[in-house]
Amino acid sequence: RTKNNAIKFLNPNPKFFDNKSILLGMDEAVKKAQEFKHKNITIYGDYDVDGVMSTVILHKGLSPFFNKIDHYIPHREAEGWRSDR
């Protein structure tokens, strides 16, 4: 509700993210990610605006942890919804 609260929300303190055990299953997820960090990772997105943005966010979030990340967003007309089906 204030400018300072908005700034804090948009620029969180990295120390907040240090405790990975806050989220249920996070320890297992981190171990699994470490197993696959040298594998190629492909993020399958969606062609609508929220699908594209979530693909970008996930790509940016995972890129520091994996060596090779790619993404795939299907072609809207060739692979997506069509009104004549």
Side-chain angles (χ1 to χ4, degrees), residues 30-41 62-69:
V30 169
K31 288 177 189 174
K32 186 58 77 175
Q34 289 171 340
E35 288 177 34
F36 287 94
K37 75 181 205 175
H38 298 295
K39 302 276 186 183
N40 294 341
I41 304 293
L62 292 177
S63 62
F65 305 105
F66 294 95
N67 292 340
K68 173 77 170 100
I69 297 184

Side-chain angles (χ1 to χ4, degrees), residues 3 12 21-24 26 32-33 35 37 41 43-44 58 60 63-64 72-73 80 83:
K3 182 178 178 179
S21 62
I22 290 175
L23 296 174
L24 182 63
M26 184 56 77
K32 186 58 77 175
E35 288 177 34
K37 75 181 205 175
I41 304 293
I43 300 166
Y44 284 78
L58 190 56
K60 285 183 173 253
S63 62
Y72 179 78
I73 297 176
S83 62

Side-chain angles (χ1 to χ4, degrees), residues 1 3-6 9-10 13 15 17 19 22 24 38 47 50 55 63-64 69-70 72 77 85:
R1 297 182 190 263
K3 182 178 178 179
N4 284 340
N5 284 347
F9 177 77
L10 295 173
N13 186 338
K15 291 192 305 186
F17 301 106
N19 189 354
I22 290 175
L24 182 63
H38 298 295
Y47 50 77
D50 59 327
T55 301
S63 62
I69 297 184
D70 200 359
Y72 179 78
E77 292 180 10
R85 289 186 185 174

